[in-house]
């Protein structure tokens, strides 16, 4: 079994993160999944939620992902997101304002996006 896996986290408009990792945790339509080196091949649909990547160097990378796909084979993990932001890129105060605005407007989709962004910031 390999000691690490190669991860590509890609949004529709850019490559978000690429590197070696020992563990990736993501939310799929079947529930949360943890992928480690040697995991059996998989293909799934990503739900909105934080993705946590434990790098080979021991660091943790967290991203807010809003939909997409996850694919794993031969110790290569691809996360193809519709929209994705690294937690370090998220302005928590702006996300809180967006959440309040979404609640006021009764916009469930915007509320969910803001909540995911805030959860990603809290995890980092």
């Amino acid at each position: 079994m390999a000691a690490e896996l190669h991860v590509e986290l890609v949004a529709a408009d850019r490559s978000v993160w690429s590197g070696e990792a020992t563990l990736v945790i993501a939310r799929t339509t079947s529930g949360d999944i943890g992928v480690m080196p040697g995991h059996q091949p998989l293909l799934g649909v990503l739900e909105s939620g934080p993705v946590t990547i434990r790098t080979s160097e021991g660091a943790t990378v967290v991203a807010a992902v809003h939909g997409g796909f996850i694919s794993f084979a031969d110790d290569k993990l691809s996360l193809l997101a519709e929209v994705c932001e690294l937690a370090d890129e998220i302005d928590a105060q702006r996300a809180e304002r967006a959440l309040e605005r979404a609640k006021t407007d009764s916009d469930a989709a915007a509320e969910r996006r803001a909540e995911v962004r805030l959860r990603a910031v809290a995890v980092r």
Side-chain angles (χ1 to χ4, degrees), residues 2-75:
E4 57 190 30
L5 53 106
H6 183 75
V7 178
E8 293 285 335
L9 177 56
V10 179
D13 61 343
R14 67 187 176 122
S15 176
V16 178
W17 189 87
S18 178
E20 305 305 310
T22 57
L23 172 67
V24 176
I25 301 169
R27 175 153 296 161
T28 70
T29 54
S30 300
D32 288 351
I33 186 168
V35 178
M36 297 175 68
H39 195 284
Q40 70 182 23
L42 73 91
L43 179 62
V45 176
L46 289 171
E47 288 283 320
S48 292
V51 168
T52 304
I53 302 167
R54 306 256 195 243
T55 71
S56 297
E57 294 82 32
T60 300
V61 175
V62 179
V65 170
H66 306 282
F69 298 93
I70 182 171
S71 171
F72 181 77
D74 300 323
D75 286 321

Side-chain angles (χ1 to χ4, degrees), residues 100-119:
E100 291 306 314
R101 200 169 38 253
K103 286 180 178 178
T104 300
D105 296 344
S106 298
D107 185 341
E111 188 173 335
R112 176 80 176 134
R113 285 190 305 272
E115 287 172 344
V116 168
R117 294 174 80 223
L118 288 168
R119 283 201 342 250

